[in-house]
Amino acid sequence: MAAASGRDRCAGACAFLLLLLGLGVAAGAETTEAIAAVDPNQERQVPWSPAPAPSPMNPIDCRSACASRCALSSRPNLCNRACGSCCARCNCVPPGTSGNYHMCPCYAAITTRGGRPKCP
């Protein structure tokens, strides 16, 4: 008996796959019809969607937090303006007049267009 050529094996495998796909489509149609036949008056259910992200429960007072953060700054107006925008974005200001960035990673991660830290 002669061995089957590569083309014959491929044709046989392709025909087998098409047969399986045809059976799967037919089975899917039957199950859909069966479900509709069980209760045709049932309303369609809306697919699940995640809830929107919750807002912060306790927003901090950025004005007073930045006033204490910028108390010793040589340029308090500039410091308060930068601190206020960072606080509004992160809802957090590190304690003290400088440093302590590990307490508020978001505050420490904000940079200017030039790549320098924005938040005092």
Side-chain angles (χ1 to χ4, degrees):
M1 189 169 198
S5 69
R7 181 177 283 172
D8 291 338
R9 281 184 282 180
C10 180
C14 289
F16 181 71
L17 286 174
L18 288 174
L19 178 67
L20 285 177
L21 287 173
L23 290 175
V25 169
E30 290 171 1
T31 55
T32 304
E33 291 169 1
I35 291 172
V38 170
D39 191 4
N41 296 327
Q42 183 179 13
E43 294 180 21
R44 289 188 64 198
Q45 292 181 353
V46 177
W48 179 84
S49 64
S55 62
M57 295 305 289
N58 297 323
I60 67 169
D61 179 17
C62 291
R63 186 178 298 252
S64 64
C66 289
S68 64
R69 179 79 175 171
C70 298
L72 301 178
S73 174
S74 61
R75 300 179 68 188
N77 290 338
L78 178 67
C79 181
N80 278 313
R81 188 172 66 225
C83 177
S85 65
C86 294
C87 176
R89 190 178 298 176
C90 298
N91 196 36
C92 150
V93 174
T97 55
S98 65
N100 299 319
Y101 289 112
H102 64 280
M103 299 294 288
C104 186
C106 170
Y107 189 92
I110 299 174
T111 57
T112 62
R113 291 180 189 162
R116 296 176 58 191
K118 174 179 176 142
C119 307

